[in-house]
Amino acid sequence: MSVRVVARIRPTLGKELEKDTIVRAEASEDGKPMNIVRIPNPRNEAEEFSFAFNGVYDQSTSQEELFTNEVSPHLKALFQGLDVTIFAYGVTGTGKTHTMRGGLKLSERGVIPRLLSGIYRRGRKVVKDSGGETSVSVSLSYYEIYNDKVFDLLESPDKRLPAGLPLREKDGKTIVVGLSERECNDLKDFEGLYIEANNNRSTAGTKLNAQSSRSHAILMVKVIQTTGDESRISTASAIDLAGSEDNRRTENGKERMVESASINKSLFVLSQCIDAISRGDKRVPYRESKMTRILSLGQNSGITIMVLNLAPLRSYHLDTLSSLNVSSRAKRIEVREIENEVVFKQHPKSMSSLSGSTINRQPLRPLANAHNTNIAPAAATTKAGDKPMKAFSVYSDRTKPTKPATTVTRTNSKRLSDGARPSRTARPALSSRAPAPELSTAKIEEMVERKVSEILASRAAQTAPAPIPAAVSDEVQRRLDALERKIEESNGAAEDARNEGLRFLLMAKQHKEHGQDSSALKMYEMALPYFPGQVKLERKIEALRARIRAKKEEEQHHLMAQKHQSLPTSGHLATRPIQQLPTPAPSFEAVSEAPASKKRKMKVRPDNDDDDFSGSIVADEDSYDDDDNLSHKPLKVRKSKAPKPFVFTFGDEAAALTPRKRFILDAVNSRDIGQIKGLNGIGAKKARDLLEFLDLQAEEEGGRIESLGQLVGVPGMGGKTVERMYEGVAVGV
Ligand SMILES: Nc1ncnc2c1ncn2[C@@H]1O[C@H](COP(=O)(O)OP(=O)(O)OP(=O)(O)O)[C@@H](O)[C@H]1O
């Protein structure tokens, strides 16, 4: 079965005008449900593009309607043992969180609360229909991927490790190591847990959405049905992806930009994966981002529904086209519809949680914390050397037969010997394990060595790690966990370095937008060591150097012309003192520097380099293996947008500094975080960023800010902040 892709067009909101609506939903045949999205060609509005989906929901669609049509029908399959994945995809502010989570009012509830409600209802029915023989329990895991790091949303944020939770491949599936799982026996339990967990999610206001998700959130609902000795486990995953952002529109500050870069990168990789699968490529770049590794259009079998959220407005035109393109390719991805196998439970226990009795859970099995971890195929049916199966395969016209559910009975010892290493939180109780053989320290060392080499080799080869010897002792287990953490941490360090590089790029871009070419150049140069060999970056640096040179020459030329003009009329030599001549731009340029005129820009920017960023600073910095997959890129209609003129509001900087200005500059240049934080409107974060920026400048410039104009140009500051600082200083200081 292919991924089911449905589009949902949100209504216009607040100040948005109906007349700006350009996206329409239609039915391809009269009397049939809507299945077409129409949108004008941005290059020629007389033309329209049409995109066909499995379903299209227009502005008037209620939360209930969407759930009833798209999710509810799959509840039955979930209880038959199929995994169900629903994910919301779309540009920022198009209604993904509204669709998945929704509002607090009953009618506003989104897919997730309705899904849980449906699961509990069906669970009760299953219990009832079986005359109490079958019990059903439900447990949740909920995590976010923020800046490409995985954090458990069911744990308090202060317990987070900076590097996040590691991922591991197992049986062709990606699992989050150390993820917590909570049993949740009714809707009330769920709501308490879910609301609390959502408070842990990273959200922030951006220009395009007052409460924008800054992370991808993944909720996994595990349904365990137990009858006698047998259990069937299936998982419903509900994923609210963060939205792609065009940073030319967001006016994001530094922190939001770094998040945005990470969001855009992961969505870019997702679109590459979709492209690669739909083209039938052998290599699908799942591993380029954690989100694609986890979502992994290729690991979860069962049923997958993609909800493409769309804003109907003209201001989203290109972004809408881009996501329509990606989503229509996603329709071609085929998912194997395989029911999870039934597993034998050694000590049958009553788990009729939904019928109200006390829960007595069996010890979690090795894979209990796994994301979309179904039971591995029975050893007998797996040939040696078989590759782990990918659930999403290249689309084909042939329908694959649905594999009938099989009943497999296994004992615990069998499970332990099938190559599965118990995860830390899901380890069976010691008493139920086979006694571990006594191992000498040398033997342990040897096993650890071997395992580490295996992990490293498997990472290099980008394949799942080889199975670990079955009966490992606790000591080996502990050492392995520690080593894996270490490896993950070192990966984290590499990521941090990369983020650092991105920050320089980001600052460079901001300087450039303010027309501060020299500062931008410096930032690009500082970014270069983080992206060695990045040809585009090197070209940018060269182009900027050329531009600065050209600017200087032009200024010289202008000056000469002025001199020349003044000679015949005055009959005297020019009297303008040399100190007042335009000075070569230092790293910190006066922010009031006029933006380059359009004409001059054309002359000195042959590479049109700014546009290369096209809203995602990472798009340039990543040299993806399959760079030719860029067909999904938004159609670029370049608006000739002049750099925003900077309005300087603090008086003539050339004049002597007033006491208020001096007070601010002294505080800033003191580099004392306490003094900086004492300035009006400066919190701890802004103060830290400012210090960091001063440090960056310190090498060559002494790291001093000499005017409020310079301060405005510091990333993260801006006119309003400095104005607030200024107003906060008492007159007569
Ligand atoms: N179908 C809808 N009906 C009414 N309001 C909606 C609908 N869809 C979205 N909205 C409103 O639009 C705004 C943006 O929606 P939402 O936050 O869900 O967007 P998003 O796609 O999740 O954005 P981001 O990616 O930035 O998190 C919210 O105020 C939300 O309530």
Side-chain angles (χ1 to χ4, degrees):
M1 182 182 176
S2 303
V3 169
R4 182 170 171 84
V5 184
V6 299
R8 182 185 196 182
I9 307 169
R10 74 154 164 80
T12 49
L13 306 165
K15 289 183 185 153
E16 295 170 352
L17 302 173
E18 280 301 325
K19 71 178 173 60
D20 293 332
T21 297
I22 53 163
V23 182
R24 282 187 297 125
E26 262 179 26
S28 54
E29 283 176 55
D30 280 349
K32 288 272 163 76
M34 287 185 285
N35 64 336
I36 306 273
V37 173
R38 289 199 195 279
I39 184 169
N41 176 350
R43 288 161 199 267
N44 173 11
E45 295 254 338
E47 256 175 44
E48 255 188 348
F49 292 131
S50 301
F51 293 85
F53 294 102
N54 300 107
V56 173
Y57 295 89
D58 68 6
Q59 285 88 334
S60 64
T61 308
S62 67
Q63 298 281 58
E64 189 188 356
E65 210 177 328
L66 184 84
F67 178 80
T68 310
N69 287 341
E70 295 302 334
V71 185
S72 192
H74 304 300
L75 281 170
K76 190 171 170 202
L78 179 73
F79 276 79
Q80 281 168 349
L82 268 90
D83 286 344
V84 177
T85 302
I86 307 138
F87 70 102
Y89 173 87
V91 179
T92 183
T94 50
K96 296 178 295 298
T97 306
H98 180 85
T99 296
M100 297 308 285
R101 194 196 302 179
L104 291 175
K105 277 202 272 173
L106 215 60
S107 61
E108 286 294 295
R109 289 182 317 152
V111 162
I112 289 173
R114 286 170 197 271
L115 171 73
L116 266 292
S117 175
I119 288 175
Y120 289 122
R121 203 175 313 120
R122 188 164 268 276
R124 282 194 294 272
K125 185 171 182 301
V126 167
V127 173
K128 193 170 159 219
D129 290 353
S130 69
E133 266 187 34
T134 299
S135 64
V136 179
S137 82
V138 174
S139 53
L140 299 185
S141 296
Y142 192 24
Y143 58 98
E144 68 173 351
I145 308 171
Y146 174 70
N147 282 348
D148 209 35
K149 290 175 186 155
V150 178
F151 298 110
D152 193 336
L153 289 170
L154 298 183
E155 293 286 353
S156 126
D158 47 298
K159 287 194 190 153
R160 289 181 171 187
L161 294 172
L165 297 172
L167 301 184
R168 189 187 297 158
E169 254 72 45
K170 174 140 185 38
D171 297 330
K173 292 169 181 174
T174 303
I175 59 171
V176 179
V177 182
L179 189 65
S180 65
E181 186 178 290
R182 305 267 183 89
E183 191 148 332
C184 219
N185 292 315
D186 55 34
L187 204 54
K188 208 157 162 255
D189 264 10
F190 161 75
E191 276 168 2
L193 200 62
Y194 185 57
I195 290 172
E196 195 189 320
N198 279 327
N199 291 335
N200 296 337
R201 189 173 174 196
S202 308
T203 57
T206 67
K207 195 178 168 220
L208 301 181
N209 187 359
Q211 229 209 340
S212 176
S213 308
R214 314 309 295 160
S215 64
H216 308 298
I218 296 121
L219 176 77
M220 286 156 51
V221 187
K222 190 152 87 180
V223 179
I224 308 164
Q225 302 169 78
T226 308
T227 313
D229 283 2
E230 290 175 357
S231 285
R232 188 192 289 279
I233 302 174
S234 46
T235 304
S237 302
I239 303 172
D240 177 11
L241 295 178
S244 57
E245 298 179 338
D246 180 342
N247 282 308
R248 289 165 297 189
R249 291 175 60 219
T250 54
E251 292 177 15
N252 273 340
K254 191 166 68 173
E255 193 178 353
R256 297 286 86 80
M257 280 283 260
V258 171
E259 290 166 356
S260 183
S262 173
I263 295 169
N264 284 348
K265 180 194 165 181
S266 55
L267 293 169
F268 175 71
V269 177
L270 176 62
S271 66
Q272 282 201 315
C273 290
I274 290 173
D275 283 355
I277 301 169
S278 66
R279 273 198 311 261
D281 288 0
K282 275 207 185 105
R283 182 180 175 272
V284 178
Y286 300 109
R287 297 184 67 92
E288 306 280 348
S289 99
K290 290 219 167 80
M291 183 266 278
T292 48
R293 257 178 95 181
I294 286 170
L295 178 64
S296 192
L297 296 178
Q299 302 201 5
N300 53 337
S301 46
I303 292 166
T304 300
I305 304 139
M306 174 180 189
V307 182
L308 164 66
N309 287 94
L310 299 170
L313 301 166
R314 183 176 301 282
S315 52
Y316 288 76
H317 204 154
L318 296 182
D319 291 329
T320 304
L321 267 176
S322 164
S323 45
L324 282 165
N325 270 317
V326 172
S327 310
S328 56
R329 280 196 286 274
K331 279 183 312 189
R332 301 183 199 155
I333 299 170
E334 203 170 89
V335 190
R336 291 175 315 129
E337 209 173 301
I338 294 181
E339 291 168 9
N340 295 331
E341 291 163 357
V342 172
V343 286
F344 178 75
K345 190 156 73 75
Q346 203 177 28
H347 306 290
K349 285 175 185 166
S350 162
M351 288 176 67
S352 53
S353 53
L354 293 173
S355 51
S357 63
T358 333
I359 313 137
N360 237 342
R361 292 185 64 203
Q362 66 181 125
L364 293 174
R365 292 186 317 280
L367 301 176
N369 276 344
H371 176 198
N372 283 321
T373 303
N374 304 330
I375 306 307
T381 62
T382 315
K383 278 187 236 126
D386 268 2
K387 271 191 170 177
M389 285 189 290
K390 292 282 182 196
F392 283 67
S393 51
V394 181
Y395 73 99
S396 81
D397 295 326
R398 279 172 292 142
T399 41
K400 293 185 183 174
T402 298
K403 196 176 157 190
T406 49
T407 301
V408 181
T409 53
R410 285 194 283 190
T411 64
N412 257 359
S413 58
K414 166 79 185 85
R415 228 186 302 129
L416 279 171
S417 63
D418 69 2
R421 181 164 71 80
S423 72
R424 260 176 290 157
T425 47
R427 198 174 295 149
L430 269 182
S431 57
S432 67
R433 299 166 108 198
E438 283 297 318
L439 293 172
S440 68
T441 314
K443 184 79 185 156
I444 292 172
E445 287 295 346
E446 192 201 320
M447 287 174 81
V448 168
E449 280 275 330
R450 201 169 55 233
K451 175 60 190 155
V452 172
S453 320
E454 278 167 13
I455 291 170
L456 291 174
S458 70
R459 288 206 170 162
Q462 296 201 340
T463 55
I468 304 155
V472 288
S473 75
D474 276 351
E475 175 59 11
V476 177
Q477 182 73 62
R478 198 181 57 71
R479 305 273 303 266
L480 286 175
D481 286 344
L483 272 158
E484 282 192 18
R485 263 200 310 276
K486 234 177 172 168
I487 293 167
E488 286 295 338
E489 274 162 22
S490 69
N491 286 348
E495 271 164 29
D496 288 348
R498 187 188 152 72
N499 284 342
E500 196 60 27
L502 287 176
R503 281 158 75 96
F504 286 127
L505 288 176
L506 169 66
M507 288 194 270
K509 192 170 183 240
Q510 287 179 338
H511 277 285
K512 217 160 147 205
E513 279 171 1
H514 284 164
Q516 301 168 308
D517 290 344
S518 304
S519 303
L521 174 62
K522 188 176 170 74
M523 292 297 146
Y524 278 134
E525 285 170 347
M526 290 170 93
L528 194 56
Y530 295 95
F531 304 101
Q534 248 290 341
V535 180
K536 273 190 182 167
L537 184 54
E538 286 168 0
R539 275 212 301 266
K540 261 181 221 307
I541 290 173
E542 274 317 304
L544 255 182
R545 282 185 186 141
R547 185 150 95 190
I548 291 167
R549 268 198 309 275
K551 211 150 109 184
K552 276 186 201 162
E553 280 166 22
E554 197 175 331
E555 279 164 355
Q556 291 283 342
H557 185 74
H558 184 65
L559 188 66
M560 296 298 287
Q562 268 189 344
K563 266 186 186 173
H564 192 70
Q565 268 181 1
S566 64
L567 278 175
T569 50
S570 67
H572 296 291
L573 288 175
T575 52
R576 196 178 178 198
I578 196 78
Q579 294 94 309
Q580 287 179 17
L581 299 181
T583 47
S587 274
F588 277 122
E589 286 139 313
V591 185
S592 48
E593 173 185 314
S597 77
K598 216 168 169 183
K599 198 170 158 206
R600 195 170 74 198
K601 235 165 78 183
M602 296 288 283
K603 202 167 89 191
V604 297
R605 290 180 56 205
D607 66 343
N608 202 14
D609 57 354
D610 242 4
D611 289 344
D612 282 354
F613 278 109
S614 65
S616 163
I617 59 169
V618 273
D620 264 355
E621 275 61 62
D622 284 308
S623 46
Y624 293 106
D625 294 0
D626 2 13
D627 244 1
D628 53 344
N629 291 354
L630 294 172
S631 54
H632 74 286
K633 264 195 165 178
L635 286 173
K636 284 187 185 171
V637 174
R638 300 202 195 285
K639 289 189 197 126
S640 50
K641 196 172 127 196
K644 245 199 282 163
F646 177 71
V647 183
F648 186 59
T649 55
F650 300 99
D652 180 7
E653 288 284 293
L657 286 175
T658 63
R660 287 164 92 186
K661 287 180 187 173
R662 186 171 298 287
F663 180 85
I664 293 173
L665 295 175
D666 285 350
V668 169
N669 289 323
S670 73
R671 302 206 181 187
D672 173 351
I673 194 137
Q675 279 197 49
I676 297 175
K677 274 197 326 199
L679 292 168
N680 194 30
I682 300 294
K685 168 95 187 60
K686 273 210 160 74
R688 269 200 314 275
D689 286 354
L690 181 57
L691 278 180
E692 201 179 312
F693 187 77
L694 289 173
D695 286 343
L696 289 174
Q697 297 291 323
E699 285 166 39
E700 290 172 35
E701 308 298 332
R704 284 185 66 79
I705 305 264
E706 299 296 352
S707 69
L708 294 197
Q710 286 181 358
L711 190 55
V712 172
V714 172
M717 288 285 137
K720 283 217 176 86
T721 308
V722 177
E723 214 168 334
R724 231 175 292 140
M725 274 185 202
Y726 186 76
E727 280 160 5
V729 182
V731 183
V733 169

